Amino acid sequence: MGIGKFFIYTFIILCLFSIFIDLKIGSPINYTIDDPTLTNDEDSKVIDSKEQLTFKVVSYKISVGDTFISVMDQINEQSLNWDLEQYVTDFRALNPKVDIHDLQENARYLFPQYIN
């Protein structure tokens, strides 16, 4: 076996391994926003969901002890109607591949802030 074939086979094996890892684990989502506060109104986008609930998209950095419900409660403190299923649906639409039970500390996620 020549040195050229060795490098070709090694390259093919590394590519296949890389594809396998990417498909099994996935690529990490890394937000690059450094400000730990909620975004201001000028940076927020208003979105209408299929049930006609209107919300702004808010970027939030997870701190120690934060849970999905505690963040949603903090962001939507004036909300009187709690529809957890709708909150989860909207959160998953904004953050595909993110498990609400496994929010990572110091990571940023997009949360819906509902408009009354």
Side-chain angles (χ1 to χ4, degrees):
M1 178 196 281
I3 190 91
K5 285 184 180 180
F6 173 76
F7 283 119
I8 290 174
Y9 288 131
T10 303
F11 178 76
I12 291 172
I13 290 171
L14 288 175
C15 286
L16 291 174
F17 180 74
S18 174
I19 292 170
F20 172 76
I21 294 296
D22 193 39
L23 290 175
K24 181 163 176 77
I25 298 173
S27 299
I29 298 174
N30 190 4
Y31 295 104
T32 58
I33 302 172
D34 294 324
D35 185 12
T37 60
L38 299 176
T39 59
N40 59 25
D41 291 338
E42 297 165 1
D43 295 335
S44 300
K45 299 176 185 175
V46 176
I47 295 177
D48 290 328
S49 69
K50 55 187 167 193
E51 273 93 25
Q52 298 303 320
L53 291 175
T54 305
F55 62 86
K56 294 187 292 185
V57 178
V58 177
S59 176
Y60 185 85
K61 185 175 180 181
I62 300 296
S63 301
V64 175
D66 281 344
T67 63
F68 173 74
I69 292 177
S70 70
V71 173
M72 288 299 294
D73 190 40
Q74 179 182 350
I75 292 173
N76 296 290
E77 59 190 40
Q78 76 282 0
S79 178
L80 298 175
N81 299 332
W82 255 91
D83 185 1
L84 184 59
E85 187 175 321
Q86 185 64 46
Y87 285 7
V88 171
T89 300
D90 292 339
F91 178 82
R92 286 186 176 147
L94 296 172
N95 303 281
K97 301 181 182 179
V98 175
D99 181 11
I100 64 167
H101 303 290
D102 190 29
L103 300 178
Q104 301 297 314
E105 182 182 338
N106 293 323
R108 284 198 166 270
Y109 300 101
L110 300 176
F111 286 87
Q113 181 181 32
Y114 295 95
I115 300 169
N116 293 339

